[in-house]
Every structure is written in structure tokens, then in C-alpha cells.
Amino acid sequence: MQLIEISDLVVDHDPGTRERLPVRGADVVARLVAAGDRSGARIAAGLACDDDGNLDPLAVDRRLVAVHTELQRLSEELRLGDRIAELLRPLLAVIRAAGRTDGPLRVVDVGCGLGYLVRWLAASDALGPDADLVGVDFNAALVTEAGRLARAEGLPCRFVRGDAFALDEPATVYVSTGVLHHFRGDDLDAFFAAQATPGTAAFCHFDIAATGLAPIGAWVFHRARMRDPLGRHDGVMSARRAHDDETLLAAAAHADGLTPLVYEPRGRSNPFCTTLRPVIGVRPDLLPPLRAELGPGPSGRLVGRADTVGGTRQGASTGEGAR
């Protein structure tokens, strides 16, 4: 069965003008049926359409905002902000020490959705007062809602609409959470290549770890915590679509001038706690001080292509060595 997320099918835009295009409900259903995903097709068949058979854009936006709101709860329970800050703090410390920028250190979250990570970083001041926090997403409804939430919370951050393959927002460090599995092949390569701008010192992208138990864990968690069938479907599909380490490292190598690494704990751990792990890229001159800043234990978690075996690290399929 071809692995497709419903949320990837229900919104379409003109790549040149970024204007929203109509999406026929029957076409979405047909795509899922052709992919052998009858469960997804039944969910898509329940989406509201207008008299012409096109999906109702307002209803679609409300549904996606609702699903992302549930995803925020998941991020809170997984302590996503803490996990990312664990890496970003030493990374920014090294960048500051190297004098990489004269102004604020800009951290840009690509595919930010409702902006949970950016808002968490702003609320906790986890990265220091000189960190300029920006969220970018192509979906106008999600960006609008992220900005509304930030204003209501009085947070020093901002959200803009942007294309992950043609980034308008320069960044010292690009980050993302749960975005990588949406891209395949050339698109995954292009995602990383777009971040190889002269001012970029590093990237840090968290996504689902491609372990054999990840889909089972995702099913259990989403059945227990997600009420929307679309969110449940796409959550499990996300785990099934997760990229292995070698695929991510090969794609990340397209960010010219940045050294790609995955960052994972070593040793045994509960496989059902295996969730997210990052692929990072740093300028080569920043890597030795970053290892020193992390310390001998955490520094050993940084793994390059030479350390991966057969597409995944040894032990990854059983959860060994995972978070």
C-alpha cells in the first residue's frame, strides 16, 4: 500500500503565485483508494464539499487547525520543547562564541504548524534574549492561527507564510518537528538544499525514529489521545513513513557546506519510548566546539553516515539505542 497522509491531499496551491487551488473531494478519495488505503478513503469521503464537488476550504482549515491543536498536546506530553532546547542551547552557545552573527541569532521553524515549538521557546526563554524566533508554514490558516495564539499569549515571536523549498526567511539555525517524513526522494533532498544559505550555521530537524515498533506505538498513542479520525490516520501513517538514518543523512548532505549527523542516545532503552530524534547539520568548523560543548557522553550520540549500517543504525529496529 502506498503510504499517504490525508492532510497532504486536501490543500493545494499554485506553486508560482501561492494562491489556493480547489481540490475535488472525489479525487482525494480516489487517490486513497488507488493507494489501497480504504480506511483513509472513508475518512476523506466524510469531508465537506461544495455544490461543485470541491472540498470546502473553510471546513478543511478548521479540521486541520483542530488536528494540529491535538498534535500540540502530543508535543507537550513528549516534552518536545525540552528535547530540542537540549540541542539548541549548546549549538547556539557555539555559534555565539564563534562570532557567526553580528545581530540576533535567528531560529526559524520550517513547517511550524500552529507554532508550538516557537511559542514554547519564546515562553520559556530557553535560548536567551538574543534569539529571534520565527515560524514558517505554507498553510495560511495554520500561520494565521499560530500568530493569533502568540499574540494572545504575549510572546516575542512571529509567524510568516513561506515555502520550505524556497525559504524567504534567512536563519542562523533552521529547525523543524515532524516535517521530514512528508518529503520523499528529490523533495527531501531539496528541503535540505534550501537551507544551505551563506548565513546558515546549522539545522536541527526532529522527526519520528524509523523503528519497527514506531507504528505500533503511534497507533496506541493516537487511539488513546487523538479524537479526530483524520489525526489518528495521519499520525500512524507518519510513523510508517519515517525515514531511516541513512536516507536522512544522504538527503542532508545536499545542504552544501554543512556536515550531516543524526543525534541519538546509545545503549538500551524502552522501545515504546522511541519517538523522535534529530538529524542535524553544522558548519565543519563548529563541529569540534559543539562536541566539546555537549561533553563526552552526549557528543557520542552524534553519528555520521560511516556509523550507519544497512539503512538504520544497529539495534534501531528493536529500539535499542533509541530514546
Side-chain angles (χ1 to χ4, degrees):
M1 181 176 79
Q2 186 182 0
L3 304 178
I4 301 175
E5 292 180 52
I6 300 170
S7 55
D8 285 342
L9 302 179
V10 296
V11 179
D12 193 17
H13 295 90
D14 183 299
T17 65
R18 299 185 181 180
E19 289 294 321
R20 189 163 182 167
L21 301 174
V23 176
R24 291 188 59 77
D27 292 344
V28 174
V29 174
R31 282 281 305 276
L32 292 162
V33 170
D37 186 355
R38 295 196 173 277
S39 173
R42 285 193 295 273
I43 296 170
L47 297 174
C49 293
D50 61 18
D51 293 339
D52 296 324
N54 295 319
L55 293 177
D56 180 338
L58 292 178
V60 167
D61 288 347
R62 285 196 296 268
R63 190 76 174 266
L64 293 180
V65 168
V67 168
H68 279 77
T69 299
E70 287 197 308
L71 282 173
Q72 175 170 318
R73 299 192 190 106
L74 180 64
S75 298
E76 291 168 352
E77 293 180 3
L78 294 176
R79 299 180 61 188
L80 192 59
D82 288 313
R83 289 184 178 212
I84 293 181
E86 178 187 1
L87 264 182
L88 287 182
R89 285 194 195 97
L91 188 55
L92 293 191
V94 166
I95 293 170
R96 289 186 184 100
R100 278 278 179 174
T101 177
D102 295 330
L105 297 176
R106 178 171 292 170
V107 177
V108 174
D109 182 8
V110 185
C112 65
L114 295 184
Y116 170 71
L117 173 62
V118 169
R119 291 188 287 113
W120 186 93
L121 291 171
S124 63
D125 195 24
L127 303 181
D130 63 338
D132 180 24
L133 302 171
V134 183
V136 175
D137 202 289
F138 201 68
N139 188 299
L142 297 180
V143 167
T144 299
E145 180 64 7
R148 186 192 70 79
L149 291 169
R151 289 190 297 275
E153 295 160 346
L155 298 174
C157 57
R158 61 189 176 90
F159 296 91
V160 298
R161 193 174 177 216
D163 186 343
F165 303 103
L167 291 161
D168 299 322
E169 287 290 332
T172 314
V173 180
Y174 286 106
V175 300
S176 72
T177 56
V179 169
L180 298 178
H181 65 268
H182 288 281
F183 305 132
R184 330 300 296 179
D186 291 343
D187 284 346
L188 186 62
D189 298 344
F191 174 81
F192 286 105
Q195 296 168 29
T197 63
T200 304
F203 59 75
C204 181
H205 298 293
F206 278 71
D207 207 352
I208 302 167
T211 68
L213 290 174
I216 301 172
W219 185 89
V220 171
F221 203 95
H222 284 81
R223 291 296 299 181
R225 301 294 293 123
M226 303 284 282
R227 292 171 294 179
D228 192 305
L230 192 154
R232 290 177 176 175
H233 173 279
D234 284 6
V236 176
M237 199 61 70
S238 297
R240 297 179 66 186
R241 300 175 77 196
H243 298 293
D244 60 50
D245 291 353
E246 189 167 287
T247 298
L248 289 176
L249 288 170
H254 287 78
D256 190 35
L258 293 157
T259 301
L261 300 156
V262 290
Y263 180 80
E264 293 184 5
R266 294 181 183 275
R268 301 186 65 84
S269 63
N270 185 341
F272 285 101
C273 292
T274 300
T275 49
L276 304 171
R277 53 96 177 83
V279 54
I280 71 172
V282 296
R283 296 292 176 188
D285 61 300
L286 296 177
L287 186 53
L290 176 60
R291 289 188 182 279
E293 185 74 18
L294 288 170
S299 178
R301 301 177 181 180
L302 292 173
V303 179
R305 295 189 72 181
D307 303 301
T308 61
V309 178
T312 55
R313 289 181 56 204
Q314 289 179 307
S317 62
T318 60
E320 184 177 351
R323 192 182 298 269

